Amino acid sequence: MSERAAPPLLALGLAGALAAGAMLGPYPLSPVDVADTLIGRPPDPQAAIVLWNIRLPRVVAAALIGAALAAAGAAYQTVFRNPLVAPDILGVSQGAGLGAVLGILLGLPVLAIQLMGFAFGIGTIGLVMTIALALRGMGQVLVVVLCGMAVAAIAGAGISLVKLLADPDDQLPAITFWLMGSLAGIKQADVAAALPAIIAGLVPMIALRWRIGLLALGDDEARTLGVEAGRLRLLVILSATLVTAAAVSAAGVIGWVGLMVPHMARLITGPRFDRLLPVALAMGAALMVLVDAAARCIAQQEVPLGILTAVLGGPVFLWLLARGGRTWAE
């Protein structure tokens, strides 16, 4: 795909995915039904209720979460100069998951559960940075990553403990389903709650995308070109963590999107981050909308998003790895 053809094709693909997400579901809507409802002439009251109260909040939430996870994955891979880095590399997903399952265990309302997940996700990155600073390895990528892996393991152990203590008839199924990722039951208020954090995290990455791309050259080269590598890396990590925590708090733990989509985008744009980020945003949004539509259509019971992304992500990533050749493995 040429660089000139990529933007219109991506825009068309995203529009098609959004339209499919609005139409598909247990209560299917035709394109005419959707168009008439959007302009205020719904074919029947049921169609208006389904589109405005159920379908559109899910579509918007899926697009936001997919874009957020894809952008975070692209940013992490560039900052850490590692193509296998995903948004949960610093334990953010596990930390947010721990906060949410604690909220479920305590019987808190949905909004409080989401807030706990978000707070624990942000707290996790604070703990990782504090440990790395105490070890005097804040400027070393490997030390930060290893600290993140250790904190993620502790958070994972905490999740297992909460599952052990949960009521097996009521709380444990809710915890298990949430950890697999789902947008079932998401409402306009949930989208409004996650939107500010996602925007706050995406804005610095979009505004500084040219400078962020220089981090892939190494700290010395970036400083030579006038970029303060340490401060910029910290800002990118915090921004990517913010959007990841917001996404996990709203939809649960959804894997593979942040790992798979940036590699798919690189097939179109190459490694330059300033070109990669917009494409990854569009591809992540479209992919998550389509996955969410499939989750509510392929079986009588809604399939968790984490299962579908893993089933899709594994083979696709292996294909991308084979296409990339030895350079990815080096």
Side-chain angles (χ1 to χ4, degrees), residues 183-196:
L183 289 172
I186 198 162
K187 299 178 177 60
Q188 296 177 1
D190 302 323
V191 177
L195 184 61

Side-chain angles (χ1 to χ4, degrees), residues 50-62 186-188 191:
V50 169
L51 183 63
W52 289 111
N53 296 341
I54 300 175
R55 204 64 58 75
L56 285 183
R58 287 192 67 156
V59 170
V60 173
I186 198 162
K187 299 178 177 60
Q188 296 177 1
V191 177

Side-chain angles (χ1 to χ4, degrees), residues 153-180:
I154 296 172
I159 292 174
S160 298
L161 178 60
V162 172
K163 292 170 68 175
L164 180 66
L165 298 175
D167 181 0
D169 297 324
D170 182 23
Q171 295 174 328
L172 184 58
I175 290 173
T176 302
F177 191 77
W178 189 91
L179 287 173
M180 290 188 291

Side-chain angles (χ1 to χ4, degrees), residues 19-313:
M23 291 186 293
L24 298 176
Y27 187 93
L29 299 172
S30 68
V32 176
D33 293 337
V34 174
D36 288 345
T37 304
L38 289 176
I39 63 176
R41 295 185 301 179
D44 59 77
Q46 187 69 22
I49 293 173
V50 169
L51 183 63
W52 289 111
N53 296 341
I54 300 175
R55 204 64 58 75
L56 285 183
R58 287 192 67 156
V59 170
V60 173
L64 284 174
I65 290 169
L69 293 176
Y76 280 134
Q77 289 170 12
T78 300
V79 167
F80 292 113
R81 291 182 288 166
N82 189 330
L84 299 180
V85 171
D88 56 357
I89 185 64
L90 298 180
V92 180
S93 297
Q94 293 84 350
L98 177 59
V101 299
L102 281 173
I104 296 174
L105 181 67
L106 296 174
L108 300 179
V110 175
L111 181 59
I113 291 172
Q114 293 177 347
L115 290 175
M116 283 192 66
F118 180 77
F120 272 65
I122 297 299
T124 299
I125 188 63
L127 180 59
V128 170
M129 296 302 179
T130 300
I131 295 174
L133 188 62
L135 297 176
R136 297 181 181 178
M138 192 61 199
Q140 303 177 28
V141 173
L142 180 60
V143 173
V144 177
V145 171
L146 291 177
C147 291
M149 293 174 62
V151 173
I154 296 172
I159 292 174
S160 298
L161 178 60
V162 172
K163 292 170 68 175
L164 180 66
L165 298 175
D167 181 0
D169 297 324
D170 182 23
Q171 295 174 328
L172 184 58
I175 290 173
T176 302
F177 191 77
W178 189 91
L179 287 173
M180 290 188 291
S182 174
L183 289 172
I186 198 162
K187 299 178 177 60
Q188 296 177 1
D190 302 323
V191 177
L195 184 61
I198 292 177
I199 292 178
L202 289 179
V203 166
M205 287 191 282
I206 295 173
L208 299 173
R209 59 188 184 276
W210 289 278
R211 291 177 174 267
I212 294 172
L214 297 178
L215 294 177
L217 302 176
D219 289 2
D220 294 337
E221 290 80 359
R223 292 191 188 97
T224 302
L225 296 172
V227 174
E228 181 55 47
R231 293 180 180 178
L232 181 59
R233 179 180 291 109
L234 179 60
L235 176 61
V236 175
I237 291 174
L238 292 177
S239 299
T241 299
L242 185 63
V243 299
T244 301
V248 173
S249 66
V253 181
I254 302 174
W256 285 98
V257 176
L259 177 62
M260 173 178 56
V261 172
H263 286 301
M264 296 171 62
R266 285 189 185 92
L267 296 179
I268 300 174
T269 67
R272 283 185 51 174
F273 187 78
D274 58 315
R275 299 176 180 176
L276 172 67
L277 183 60
V279 175
L281 285 168
M283 294 182 71
L287 175 65
M288 187 54 61
V289 170
L290 293 176
V291 169
D292 181 57
R296 57 181 184 262
C297 293
I298 63 177
Q300 292 183 347
Q301 181 179 0
E302 184 165 323
V303 180
L305 297 177
I307 294 178
L308 293 181
T309 55
V311 170
L312 177 66

